[in-house]
Amino acid sequence: MKKIILITTLFAVVATAVFLIFKFKPSKQVIDKETTLTSRDLYLGLRENGFVTPRNRLEIKPSFNGRIEKILVNEGDKIKKGQIIILMSSSERASMIDIARTISEQEYERCQNIYKLIPIIAYMDGFIILRQKEPGQIVSPNEAILVMADDLIVETYIDETDLRYIKKGIRPKMYLDAYPNENFEGIVEHISYESKLLNNVNVYKVRIKPLKKPKAFKSGMTVKIMIIAESKKNAPSIANTFISEIGDNKTVTVKTGNINKPVFETRKIKT
């Protein structure tokens, strides 16, 4: 009985040893995908969010308390500097005109001819982007009746770490979130000299002038901006899936030798 137990134990030890040898024996490297280097034009692109905003935004306010009698423009209308855009009555005129109306039509006409309406003019060339009041409303010098702009541009904020890629004169591609299939080009015309803290990150405001505005281009719209930071023509390239990355090291596996006896080498690369 003891001999049988000893033989069984020895067999179990041998079987275990054979299993471990085969389990941990280095297996032949199996490559399930291969590729070759191809030449491509590569670029490093920055994708930023921006918004449409007036270059100069001007609120049209009266210099006195009074009543709006007529507004001669609507949102979207183009106007010239010096053009009359609002007619108002001062508080005193409005009171006298209202009293005269209750007396007679003749008295009302007489007051209208004596006490003239006060015109409010546009102070720059541009167009109306907002109409906040209507005729008949009483307003003070602190209230804007209209808001006008001279031009609409795109503004964005660039992280200070990416600022080295942004230069005046570069031409980013853009599209409106509302119209993702309509791309348009712009030109960077100004980079602010003072940073702003946004979400605990130092950013700089960048102003982009559209070279050709889309038909639907309104203040406040969200814009996607693509900026080509760096580019390289005819660069050797492979798909990212063939690149291994451990820490700061990037490697690829290269097959050399002949078809019957391929040799696999790990080589460091720089992307």
Side-chain angles (χ1 to χ4, degrees):
M1 180 64 69
K2 290 181 180 180
K3 188 179 292 187
I4 294 173
I5 294 173
L6 179 61
I7 293 172
T8 304
T9 303
L10 288 173
F11 177 77
V13 171
V14 172
T16 302
V18 171
F19 170 76
L20 291 174
I21 289 171
F22 278 97
K23 181 178 180 181
F24 293 105
K25 181 180 178 181
S27 59
K28 185 178 179 181
Q29 187 169 3
V30 177
I31 303 297
D32 58 347
K33 288 183 179 180
E34 294 183 0
T35 188
T36 56
L37 289 176
T38 56
S39 293
R40 293 177 56 195
D41 294 338
L42 301 180
Y43 66 90
L44 172 64
L46 303 179
R47 187 185 180 93
E48 304 290 346
N49 291 319
F51 52 93
V52 180
T53 186
R55 183 191 302 281
N56 292 299
R57 185 180 188 273
L58 179 64
E59 294 184 341
I60 308 299
K61 300 178 181 180
S63 58
F64 54 88
N65 293 312
R67 182 172 67 199
I68 303 170
E69 300 295 348
K70 292 182 181 180
I71 298 179
L72 305 176
V73 292
N74 291 307
E75 289 184 5
D77 287 355
K78 293 183 178 180
I79 54 180
K80 292 289 186 180
K81 182 178 180 180
Q83 179 180 336
I84 298 174
I85 54 178
I86 303 168
L87 294 172
M88 286 188 62
S89 292
S90 64
S91 297
E92 294 78 10
R93 181 187 188 277
S95 297
M96 287 188 291
I97 291 292
D98 291 344
I99 293 171
R101 192 192 297 270
T102 63
I103 297 173
S104 67
E105 187 67 27
Q106 291 80 7
E107 183 64 18
Y108 173 69
E109 291 293 337
R110 189 182 73 83
C111 284
Q112 287 272 48
N113 292 328
I114 295 174
Y115 304 104
K116 300 295 184 181
L117 292 171
I118 302 171
I120 296 178
I121 63 172
Y123 303 112
M124 65 179 183
D125 293 340
F127 56 96
I128 303 299
I129 60 172
L130 184 62
R131 176 168 165 164
Q132 298 193 121
K133 303 291 183 181
E134 294 299 328
Q137 290 183 288
I138 304 297
V139 293
S140 70
N142 296 323
E143 298 175 273
I145 301 171
L146 299 169
V147 179
M148 63 177 297
D150 58 346
D151 193 13
L152 291 179
I153 59 171
V154 174
E155 285 186 355
T156 186
Y157 289 96
I158 301 294
D159 189 312
E160 63 179 338
T161 58
D162 294 329
L163 198 63
R164 65 185 185 276
Y165 300 122
I166 311 300
K167 295 178 177 61
K168 287 178 66 175
I170 65 172
R171 297 192 174 191
K173 299 287 186 182
M174 300 179 284
Y175 66 85
L176 301 172
D177 276 6
Y179 302 92
N181 297 323
E182 297 181 18
N183 295 330
F184 60 100
E185 195 176 35
I187 183 168
V188 173
E189 64 176 17
H190 182 74
I191 304 166
S192 65
Y193 284 83
E194 185 177 19
S195 67
K196 176 181 179 180
L197 194 63
L198 190 64
N199 297 324
N200 294 321
V201 176
N202 275 327
V203 295
Y204 289 81
K205 183 189 290 186
V206 174
R207 193 166 64 210
I208 304 169
K209 178 183 178 180
L211 296 179
K212 185 178 180 181
K213 296 183 181 71
K215 291 181 181 178
F217 198 68
K218 300 180 183 298
S219 181
M221 282 185 160
T222 306
V223 183
K224 289 292 186 298
I225 306 165
M226 291 295 298
I227 299 172
I228 297 178
E230 294 179 354
S231 62
K232 190 171 184 179
K233 299 288 186 180
N234 297 320
S237 63
I238 58 172
N240 285 334
T241 53
F242 292 95
I243 300 174
S244 300
E245 190 169 353
I246 301 175
D248 295 331
N249 294 323
K250 295 179 181 180
T251 62
V252 293
T253 301
V254 178
K255 184 172 75 173
T256 60
N258 56 44
I259 298 177
N260 297 324
K261 290 185 178 181
V263 178
F264 299 97
E265 300 177 11
T266 299
R267 297 181 184 178
K268 288 185 178 181
I269 63 169
K270 182 180 179 181
T271 59

Coordinates of all heavy atoms in Angstrom, one line a residue, residues 60-64 83-88 118-123 145:
I60 N -28.1 102.7 -27.2 CA -28.7 104.0 -27.5 C -29.6 104.4 -26.3 O -30.6 103.8 -26.1 CB -29.4 104.0 -28.8 CG1 -28.6 103.4 -29.9 CG2 -29.9 105.4 -29.1 CD1 -27.3 104.3 -30.2
K61 N -29.2 105.4 -25.6 CA -29.9 105.9 -24.4 C -30.2 107.3 -24.6 O -29.4 108.1 -25.1 CB -29.1 105.7 -23.1 CG -28.7 104.2 -22.8 CD -27.9 104.1 -21.6 CE -27.5 102.7 -21.3 NZ -26.7 102.6 -20.0
P62 N -31.4 107.8 -24.0 CA -31.7 109.2 -24.1 C -30.8 110.0 -23.0 O -30.4 109.4 -22.0 CB -33.2 109.3 -23.7 CG -33.4 108.1 -22.9 CD -32.5 107.0 -23.4
S63 N -30.7 111.2 -23.2 CA -29.9 112.1 -22.2 C -30.9 112.7 -21.2 O -30.5 113.6 -20.5 CB -29.1 113.1 -22.9 OG -29.9 113.9 -23.7
F64 N -32.2 112.4 -21.3 CA -33.2 113.0 -20.5 C -34.3 112.0 -20.2 O -34.4 111.0 -20.8 CB -33.7 114.2 -21.2 CG -34.3 113.9 -22.6 CD1 -35.6 113.5 -22.8 CD2 -33.4 114.0 -23.7 CE1 -36.0 113.2 -24.0 CE2 -33.9 113.7 -24.9 CZ -35.2 113.3 -25.1
Q83 N -27.8 109.5 -38.6 CA -29.2 109.2 -39.0 C -30.1 109.2 -37.8 O -29.8 108.8 -36.7 CB -29.2 107.8 -39.6 CG -30.6 107.4 -40.1 CD -30.6 106.0 -40.7 OE1 -29.6 105.5 -41.2 NE2 -31.8 105.3 -40.6
I84 N -31.3 109.9 -38.0 CA -32.3 109.9 -36.9 C -32.9 108.6 -36.7 O -33.5 108.0 -37.7 CB -33.3 111.0 -37.2 CG1 -32.7 112.4 -37.2 CG2 -34.4 111.0 -36.1 CD1 -33.6 113.5 -37.6
I85 N -32.9 108.0 -35.5 CA -33.4 106.7 -35.3 C -34.5 106.6 -34.3 O -35.3 105.7 -34.3 CB -32.3 105.7 -34.9 CG1 -31.5 106.2 -33.7 CG2 -31.3 105.4 -36.1 CD1 -30.4 105.2 -33.2
I86 N -34.6 107.7 -33.5 CA -35.7 107.7 -32.4 C -36.2 109.2 -32.3 O -35.4 110.1 -32.4 CB -35.2 107.3 -31.1 CG1 -34.6 105.9 -31.1 CG2 -36.3 107.3 -30.0 CD1 -33.8 105.5 -29.9
L87 N -37.5 109.3 -32.1 CA -38.1 110.6 -31.8 C -38.7 110.5 -30.4 O -39.5 109.6 -30.2 CB -39.1 111.0 -32.8 CG -38.6 111.3 -34.2 CD1 -39.7 111.5 -35.2 CD2 -37.6 112.5 -34.2
M88 N -38.4 111.5 -29.5 CA -38.9 111.4 -28.2 C -39.5 112.8 -27.7 O -39.2 113.8 -28.3 CB -37.8 111.1 -27.2 CG -37.3 109.6 -27.3 SD -36.2 109.2 -25.9 CE -37.2 109.6 -24.5
I118 N -37.9 115.6 -29.9 CA -36.4 115.6 -29.8 C -35.9 114.4 -30.5 O -36.2 113.2 -30.2 CB -36.0 115.5 -28.3 CG1 -36.6 116.7 -27.6 CG2 -34.5 115.5 -28.2 CD1 -36.5 116.7 -26.1
P119 N -35.0 114.6 -31.5 CA -34.4 113.4 -32.3 C -33.2 112.8 -31.5 O -32.5 113.6 -30.9 CB -34.0 114.0 -33.6 CG -33.7 115.5 -33.2 CD -34.6 115.9 -32.1
I120 N -33.1 111.5 -31.6 CA -31.9 110.8 -31.2 C -31.3 110.2 -32.4 O -31.9 109.5 -33.2 CB -32.3 109.8 -30.1 CG1 -32.8 110.4 -28.9 CG2 -31.0 108.9 -29.7 CD1 -33.3 109.5 -27.8
I121 N -30.0 110.4 -32.5 CA -29.3 110.0 -33.8 C -28.3 108.9 -33.5 O -28.0 108.6 -32.3 CB -28.5 111.2 -34.4 CG1 -27.4 111.7 -33.5 CG2 -29.4 112.3 -34.8 CD1 -26.5 112.7 -34.1
A122 N -27.9 108.2 -34.5 CA -26.9 107.1 -34.4 C -25.5 107.7 -34.3 O -25.2 108.7 -35.0 CB -27.0 106.2 -35.6
Y123 N -24.7 107.2 -33.5 CA -23.4 107.8 -33.3 C -22.3 107.0 -34.0 O -21.1 107.4 -33.9 CB -23.1 107.8 -31.8 CG -24.1 108.5 -30.9 CD1 -24.9 107.8 -30.1 CD2 -24.3 109.9 -31.1 CE1 -25.9 108.5 -29.3 CE2 -25.2 110.6 -30.4 CZ -26.0 109.9 -29.5 OH -27.0 110.5 -28.8
I145 N -32.7 102.1 -25.3 CA -33.8 101.9 -26.2 C -33.5 100.9 -27.3 O -34.2 100.0 -27.6 CB -34.3 103.2 -26.8 CG1 -34.7 104.2 -25.7 CG2 -35.5 103.0 -27.8 CD1 -35.0 105.6 -26.2

